Every structure is written in C-alpha cells, then in structure tokens.
Amino acid sequence: MEPPHQTPYEDPDGPPSGEPHAEPHAGQPGRDRRRPWVVGVSGASGTPYAAAVLRALLQAGEAVDLVVSRAARLTLLDETGGPFRDAHWRDDLRRWLAAGADGSPDAFDPAMDLSAVRHWAAGDLAAGPSSGSYAAKGMIVVPASTAAVAGIALGLSKDLLQRAASVTLKEGRPLVVVVRETPLPGPTLRQMVALDEAGAVVLPAAPAFYAGATGIQDLVDFVAGRALDAAGVAHKLYRRWEGELGRSR
C-alpha cells in the first residue's frame, strides 16, 4: 500500500520551501541516479555500531537515507552525551560520527562529507523510503531493539523505520537486522525466525576476537563489517579469516 498524499517532507537543514534540494530525488527526470542504503537506528544500546556502519557506507561512496527513531535519540544522548535534533541533524550527525566507540570526541574526521546523506524524521510516513517505488538499494537496521524486531516481523509500521523495513522486505531488497539485546526471550526468537523466513538477514551484534582486536573500536567495527558483508558493501573494517591460526597475534 502506498502512503497517502501528504505535504512533501522538508529538510530543516536544507533549502527553504520551493527551492530545489541538493540531493537528487528519485522519480524526477534526469535525477534517478541516487539509490541510497536506508539506515534505521532504533532505541537499543549500540549507537557506536550505527556510527561505524554509516562511516563505512560513506567511505564506500554509498548514498545514505537515515532514520533515527525517537527511542534511539534517548539512547544516543545517554551513550554519547549529544542530542540528535531534526533541525540540526547535520551538526549532530557529524559530531556523532567523529566520536570513537570509547567516547573520544575526535577519533574520526570531524569534517566528514555528509552531502550523500539524507535525513528523514521517524514520524514522516510520507517520506521516500515509505514507498516501494522509492529507489533504494536496501536497508540496515542497526542496532535493532526487540521492539523494532517485533514491529518489522509483524508489519506494524508504527513509524518510518518499521515502514521502511517492511517495504524493503516486500520489494525483495536486502534487509539486515542487527539485533542488540540479551537475553533473547521466546517471542523475540520466534520473530527473528519470521524475519529470516521473510528474507531478512538477522545478525546479532556479537563481535569476534580472531581478527586481533586491541580495543573497543575494533570489536564495534567487526560487527559493523559483518552487517556490511551481509548487505554486499565493500569495506576494510576488520581483518578477514584466511585459515592461518595465530595470525592476529
């Protein structure tokens, strides 16, 4: 079902109403080249995983459509000390992506180019990713809370994150759900099986140690890298296993 007609979404950090946006819009003549990855950030603990995925997508030259749930904004504030505001999303995103997993504020380039990112408010159900006709490559939900898992598995579409994930499934596009909860109760396990059967990749945020991690960022990057592997996006976030014991030492 296509979303009902509503007033087009206006990016608070973009140009005033009536002026063209810098990013191309799908469906407009001559402006169909942009096919983003939708990244949904839910309220589970694990915002450094989302930051690592976003940085790697941008470094790979991919366009990104970002949806941050209301609960995720609280988690982000708690885990990083910084807000995520619709009216100042570029500044807030740049600060978030510059921070390391250990909380260091400038672990990564604070001047990262965000021109390939488009932000959609979580309550905007008229947003591009809410429709199957919107040109997207797929979606990564990172981190995914049990509430997000349930909403996607049941097709609730209570916000844009869940709606975009449902659209990704119905269109047969890659959907990677990075679950970050423990322990996992029976209902969530059954919902994860339902997602797998629907075609999603269910990827628990479980870091490995064979890649020679020396700090928390390495462990975060391993999980982010596995999510990108599942999406088919090239990256250099971790050392891959090559069949040689003890190579990381």
Side-chain angles (χ1 to χ4, degrees):
M1 181 179 71
E2 299 298 324
H5 176 73
Q6 298 185 28
T7 302
Y9 170 68
E10 294 182 6
D11 181 348
D13 279 7
S17 178
E19 296 183 16
H21 286 255
E23 303 96 333
H25 290 55
Q28 293 185 359
R31 306 182 75 188
D32 292 333
R33 290 189 297 272
R34 186 179 188 274
R35 290 189 63 230
W37 282 95
V38 181
V39 176
V41 185
S42 79
S45 176
T47 55
Y49 293 127
V53 166
L54 288 165
R55 283 192 298 264
L57 285 171
L58 294 175
Q59 290 165 0
E62 298 286 350
V64 173
D65 276 19
L66 178 62
V67 181
V68 181
S69 75
R70 292 181 179 179
R73 296 170 194 235
L74 296 176
T75 306
L76 189 61
L77 182 62
D78 183 56
E79 293 185 346
T80 72
F84 190 90
R85 302 159 292 180
D86 287 340
H88 305 282
W89 71 268
R90 289 188 195 277
D91 291 339
D92 293 343
L93 178 60
R94 184 169 284 109
R95 173 200 50 76
W96 178 18
L97 297 188
D102 61 356
S104 53
D106 293 317
F108 299 93
D109 183 7
M112 180 176 293
D113 182 8
L114 301 180
S115 61
V117 181
R118 181 183 294 171
H119 164 256
W120 302 96
D124 184 8
L125 291 179
S130 69
S131 172
S133 64
Y134 184 76
K137 289 186 177 181
M139 182 172 183
I140 303 172
V141 182
V142 55
S145 64
T146 54
V149 168
I152 298 167
L154 297 174
L156 297 182
S157 295
K158 77 175 186 66
D159 61 9
L160 181 58
L161 188 154
Q162 292 183 15
R163 170 62 184 171
S166 295
V167 166
T168 302
L169 284 176
K170 81 179 182 68
E171 295 296 321
R173 298 168 184 159
L175 173 63
V176 182
V177 181
V178 183
V179 183
R180 216 310 308 163
E181 296 283 1
T182 190
L184 293 168
T188 301
L189 291 170
R190 289 187 285 273
Q191 289 152 1
M192 289 165 63
V193 170
L195 287 176
D196 176 78
E197 292 174 342
V201 174
V202 179
L203 195 150
F209 297 85
Y210 62 78
T214 58
I216 186 173
Q217 190 65 57
D218 295 326
L219 298 175
V220 166
D221 285 348
F222 180 87
V223 172
R226 294 298 287 149
L228 293 170
D229 287 344
V233 177
H235 65 86
K236 297 181 180 179
L237 287 175
Y238 68 90
R239 183 183 67 79
R240 297 183 182 278
W241 174 254
E242 296 179 353
E244 183 179 347
L245 292 172
R247 184 182 171 192
S248 64
R249 295 194 295 275

